[in-house]
mmCIF file of all heavy atoms in Angstrom:
data_model
loop_
_atom_site.group_PDB
_atom_site.id
_atom_site.type_symbol
_atom_site.label_atom_id
_atom_site.label_comp_id
_atom_site.label_asym_id
_atom_site.label_seq_id
_atom_site.Cartn_x
_atom_site.Cartn_y
_atom_site.Cartn_z
ATOM 1 N N SER X 48 99.065 139.880 159.174
ATOM 2 C CA SER X 48 98.484 141.180 159.503
ATOM 3 C C SER X 48 97.420 140.978 160.569
ATOM 4 O O SER X 48 96.780 139.917 160.639
ATOM 5 C CB SER X 48 97.807 141.807 158.278
ATOM 6 O OG SER X 48 98.742 141.984 157.252
ATOM 7 N N TYR X 49 97.247 141.993 161.404
ATOM 8 C CA TYR X 49 96.090 142.054 162.304
ATOM 9 C C TYR X 49 95.253 143.234 161.823
ATOM 10 O O TYR X 49 95.702 144.376 161.918
ATOM 11 C CB TYR X 49 96.531 142.265 163.753
ATOM 12 C CG TYR X 49 97.206 141.052 164.367
ATOM 13 C CD1 TYR X 49 98.560 141.056 164.656
ATOM 14 C CD2 TYR X 49 96.463 139.903 164.653
ATOM 15 C CE1 TYR X 49 99.172 139.951 165.226
ATOM 16 C CE2 TYR X 49 97.070 138.790 165.221
ATOM 17 C CZ TYR X 49 98.418 138.818 165.499
ATOM 18 O OH TYR X 49 99.017 137.713 166.055
ATOM 19 N N GLY X 50 94.072 142.944 161.295
ATOM 20 C CA GLY X 50 93.270 144.022 160.705
ATOM 21 C C GLY X 50 94.070 144.648 159.575
ATOM 22 O O GLY X 50 94.616 143.942 158.725
ATOM 23 N N ASP X 51 94.177 145.975 159.582
ATOM 24 C CA ASP X 51 94.959 146.595 158.510
ATOM 25 C C ASP X 51 96.404 146.859 158.942
ATOM 26 O O ASP X 51 97.161 147.545 158.255
ATOM 27 C CB ASP X 51 94.284 147.896 157.991
ATOM 28 C CG ASP X 51 94.006 148.876 159.110
ATOM 29 O OD1 ASP X 51 94.471 148.625 160.238
ATOM 30 O OD2 ASP X 51 93.333 149.896 158.839
ATOM 31 N N LYS X 52 96.790 146.287 160.096
ATOM 32 C CA LYS X 52 98.179 146.461 160.534
ATOM 33 C C LYS X 52 99.034 145.275 160.077
ATOM 34 O O LYS X 52 98.797 144.136 160.486
ATOM 35 C CB LYS X 52 98.241 146.578 162.056
ATOM 36 C CG LYS X 52 99.666 146.780 162.546
ATOM 37 C CD LYS X 52 99.738 146.943 164.049
ATOM 38 C CE LYS X 52 101.166 146.944 164.549
ATOM 39 N NZ LYS X 52 102.065 147.860 163.885
ATOM 40 N N THR X 53 99.976 145.558 159.184
ATOM 41 C CA THR X 53 100.873 144.501 158.723
ATOM 42 C C THR X 53 101.986 144.320 159.744
ATOM 43 O O THR X 53 102.720 145.260 160.033
ATOM 44 C CB THR X 53 101.486 144.888 157.360
ATOM 45 O OG1 THR X 53 100.412 145.136 156.465
ATOM 46 C CG2 THR X 53 102.367 143.773 156.812
ATOM 47 N N VAL X 54 102.072 143.112 160.303
ATOM 48 C CA VAL X 54 103.097 142.859 161.331
ATOM 49 C C VAL X 54 104.328 142.205 160.681
ATOM 50 O O VAL X 54 105.459 142.605 160.937
ATOM 51 C CB VAL X 54 102.535 141.968 162.453
ATOM 52 C CG1 VAL X 54 103.606 141.669 163.488
ATOM 53 C CG2 VAL X 54 101.349 142.662 163.122
ATOM 54 N N LEU X 55 104.105 141.216 159.846
ATOM 55 C CA LEU X 55 105.214 140.578 159.113
ATOM 56 C C LEU X 55 104.944 140.770 157.624
ATOM 57 O O LEU X 55 103.898 140.371 157.129
ATOM 58 C CB LEU X 55 105.318 139.096 159.470
ATOM 59 C CG LEU X 55 105.553 138.773 160.953
ATOM 60 C CD1 LEU X 55 105.526 137.273 161.196
ATOM 61 C CD2 LEU X 55 106.866 139.372 161.443
ATOM 62 N N ASP X 56 105.903 141.371 156.947
ATOM 63 C CA ASP X 56 105.658 141.814 155.575
ATOM 64 C C ASP X 56 106.634 141.143 154.607
ATOM 65 O O ASP X 56 107.397 141.801 153.908
ATOM 66 C CB ASP X 56 105.808 143.346 155.543
ATOM 67 C CG ASP X 56 105.397 143.939 154.211
ATOM 68 O OD1 ASP X 56 104.732 143.243 153.428
ATOM 69 O OD2 ASP X 56 105.763 145.100 153.953
ATOM 70 N N GLY X 57 106.646 139.801 154.645
ATOM 71 C CA GLY X 57 107.554 139.095 153.741
ATOM 72 C C GLY X 57 108.884 138.818 154.407
ATOM 73 O O GLY X 57 109.911 139.369 154.021
ATOM 74 N N VAL X 58 108.841 137.970 155.441
ATOM 75 C CA VAL X 58 110.064 137.671 156.197
ATOM 76 C C VAL X 58 110.665 136.353 155.705
ATOM 77 O O VAL X 58 109.954 135.342 155.589
ATOM 78 C CB VAL X 58 109.755 137.594 157.713
ATOM 79 C CG1 VAL X 58 110.907 136.992 158.492
ATOM 80 C CG2 VAL X 58 109.402 138.984 158.241
ATOM 81 N N ASP X 59 111.937 136.373 155.404
ATOM 82 C CA ASP X 59 112.667 135.162 155.002
ATOM 83 C C ASP X 59 113.648 134.780 156.115
ATOM 84 O O ASP X 59 114.375 135.651 156.606
ATOM 85 C CB ASP X 59 113.472 135.399 153.716
ATOM 86 C CG ASP X 59 112.581 135.743 152.533
ATOM 87 O OD1 ASP X 59 111.381 135.441 152.580
ATOM 88 O OD2 ASP X 59 113.107 136.324 151.560
ATOM 89 N N LEU X 60 113.674 133.504 156.470
ATOM 90 C CA LEU X 60 114.609 133.025 157.495
ATOM 91 C C LEU X 60 115.198 131.705 157.044
ATOM 92 O O LEU X 60 114.526 130.923 156.371
ATOM 93 C CB LEU X 60 113.886 132.778 158.837
ATOM 94 C CG LEU X 60 113.163 133.942 159.505
ATOM 95 C CD1 LEU X 60 112.314 133.433 160.665
ATOM 96 C CD2 LEU X 60 114.175 134.964 159.993
ATOM 97 N N ARG X 61 116.419 131.446 157.444
ATOM 98 C CA ARG X 61 117.066 130.174 157.107
ATOM 99 C C ARG X 61 118.023 129.848 158.248
ATOM 100 O O ARG X 61 119.055 130.503 158.412
ATOM 101 C CB ARG X 61 117.822 130.351 155.793
ATOM 102 C CG ARG X 61 118.148 129.084 155.091
ATOM 103 C CD ARG X 61 118.766 129.426 153.743
ATOM 104 N NE ARG X 61 119.501 128.302 153.240
ATOM 105 C CZ ARG X 61 118.936 127.253 152.677
ATOM 106 N NH1 ARG X 61 117.633 127.208 152.502
ATOM 107 N NH2 ARG X 61 119.668 126.243 152.261
ATOM 108 N N ILE X 62 117.651 128.890 159.066
ATOM 109 C CA ILE X 62 118.403 128.630 160.296
ATOM 110 C C ILE X 62 118.995 127.224 160.281
ATOM 111 O O ILE X 62 118.251 126.226 160.291
ATOM 112 C CB ILE X 62 117.480 128.792 161.520
ATOM 113 C CG1 ILE X 62 116.837 130.188 161.483
ATOM 114 C CG2 ILE X 62 118.253 128.573 162.807
ATOM 115 C CD1 ILE X 62 115.747 130.379 162.502
#
Side-chain angles (χ1 to χ4, degrees):
S48 300
Y49 289 110
D51 54 8
K52 181 178 172 51
T53 303
V54 178
L55 301 175
D56 188 16
V58 167
D59 298 340
L60 301 170
R61 199 174 160 78
I62 305 171

